[in-house]
Amino acid sequence: MCDSLDELQESHIIPRSIFKSLKRKSGQLVKVNGVSGVPLIKENSDLKEPLLCKNCEQFLSANYEQYGTRLFKNPNGVTKKENHIEFANFEYEKYYLYLLSILWRASVSTLDEYSEVWLPSELSNILKSCLKNKTVQINKSLRIDNFFRVSVFRLVDSTGTLTDQVIKGILTTIIGTKNSIGETEFYFAVDGFLIKYTFTVGKSELDARTSKNIGQLDNSTVLKVLKKEVTDFPELTQLFKELIKKAKSRSTNI
Ligand SMILES: [Zn+2]
């Protein structure tokens, strides 16, 4: 990240504390190979690769991860409503940049698990510079969150096929796809939440600045996380189906 020649550490793409809490819940990392692919299940996978120097690891941890990995785990300030969950004292920029740091790491990763995440080097460099400078401003007039949008949802299954425990115990790799209007999207599920990145160009500069996606994080001190059906995400539904099939054949302990 800092482009220095310092020795690289064995770094995580998805922060270590997420894996640690998954292990406690005996959760699993689930890999999906495209829409029609068969998911691979790796129990307690702890994926690492030489990626960041010690300084950069500490920088990301202190500035983003400590906050980001705790947000959904701290029961204080959480209000559960019928259609959404509210988190008080939300620090928008910190959390946005935390999620951006995961995507940036995945985009420069050489691990198979993140092979669906690819960004043009120009865009990747913009992400990197925002992370290094702790800002969402690319320059005076342009903000990265206008076109690199992040939405967060709480996953539910109202059909009752999947229990909440199953939904919460899954960490997927990052899935790359296109939405109905042809925009590139990446998403992954963790701790029962779905994190979705949408690359929006917008109909015009004004539209990019002012329009909003459903569930998109915004600069408010209260984070509202909408509940969304697992079935709204085709790749995820496919993945869960495969898991249930495997669970029924007792090949996993889900
Ligand atoms: Zn570094």
Side-chain angles (χ1 to χ4, degrees):
M1 187 168 90
C2 62
D3 299 313
S4 79
L5 295 174
D6 288 357
E7 193 189 335
L8 297 174
Q9 311 287 305
E10 287 293 318
S11 308
H12 289 83
I13 309 299
I14 305 266
R16 192 163 59 116
S17 51
I18 291 182
F19 281 99
K20 274 204 286 200
S21 80
L22 269 182
K23 275 185 192 172
R24 274 201 302 275
K25 289 184 284 192
S26 66
Q28 298 178 320
L29 176 76
V30 180
K31 182 186 175 186
V32 61
N33 297 319
V35 184
S36 57
V38 179
L40 248 161
I41 298 167
K42 292 187 174 183
E43 283 187 55
N44 297 332
S45 284
D46 191 14
L47 298 170
K48 285 183 271 196
E49 70 175 310
L51 196 70
L52 299 159
C53 77
K54 209 165 189 171
N55 285 338
C56 288
E57 286 227 321
Q58 280 168 358
F59 175 87
L60 290 177
S61 166
N63 288 294
Y64 307 125
E65 288 170 25
Q66 283 178 18
Y67 176 74
T69 54
R70 278 180 210 157
L71 179 67
F72 293 148
K73 296 198 175 87
N74 183 359
N76 298 326
V78 178
T79 317
K80 291 182 178 169
K81 309 261 177 167
E82 196 183 336
N83 298 317
H84 71 273
I85 308 170
E86 289 184 6
F87 297 85
N89 307 315
F90 179 54
E91 294 181 52
Y92 168 71
E93 287 206 6
K94 206 175 235 196
Y95 192 64
Y96 176 87
L97 291 170
Y98 161 69
L99 295 178
L100 206 65
S101 80
I102 295 178
L103 194 76
W104 175 73
R105 278 179 268 192
S107 78
V108 293
S109 166
T110 56
L111 295 171
D112 267 1
E113 281 76 5
Y114 303 106
S115 59
E116 292 191 23
V117 184
W118 179 86
L119 298 173
S121 61
E122 203 176 279
L123 184 59
S124 181
N125 285 335
I126 292 174
L127 261 63
K128 190 165 85 169
S129 119
C130 286
L131 292 172
K132 282 203 293 202
N133 298 312
K134 296 194 270 179
T135 179
V136 297
Q137 296 286 150
I138 298 168
N139 54 40
K140 270 187 190 145
S141 58
L142 206 60
R143 290 170 63 109
I144 188 153
D145 54 350
N146 286 156
F147 61 92
F148 220 95
R149 302 177 177 191
V150 180
S151 300
V152 178
F153 302 100
R154 175 66 164 88
L155 289 170
V156 293
D157 179 12
S158 60
T159 66
T161 311
L162 302 167
T163 65
D164 208 41
Q165 199 192 355
V166 169
I167 295 176
K168 276 182 170 169
I170 296 289
L171 171 66
T172 67
T173 54
I174 303 180
I175 298 158
T177 184
K178 294 254 183 205
N179 66 16
S180 58
I181 53 168
E183 296 170 333
T184 296
E185 291 192 333
F186 301 106
Y187 66 81
F188 69 101
V190 59
D191 282 334
F193 292 90
L194 185 120
I195 314 294
K196 188 175 82 167
Y197 307 83
T198 307
F199 186 66
T200 300
V201 180
K203 292 182 206 84
S204 64
E205 211 183 304
L206 180 72
D207 178 56
R209 270 208 309 269
T210 53
S211 68
K212 241 191 100 183
N213 292 353
I214 298 167
Q216 189 181 334
L217 300 178
D218 62 14
N219 200 355
S220 154
T221 54
V222 178
L223 169 65
K224 285 185 186 172
V225 177
L226 296 174
K227 292 183 183 173
K228 211 157 168 47
E229 296 289 331
V230 172
T231 48
D232 288 340
F233 302 93
E235 294 87 355
L236 206 60
T237 310
Q238 177 67 26
L239 189 152
F240 275 115
K241 268 190 200 152
E242 295 285 342
L243 275 177
I244 290 167
K245 216 158 73 187
K246 289 192 180 184
K248 280 185 179 152
S249 67
R250 288 170 173 268
S251 60
T252 77
N253 57 1
I254 232 171

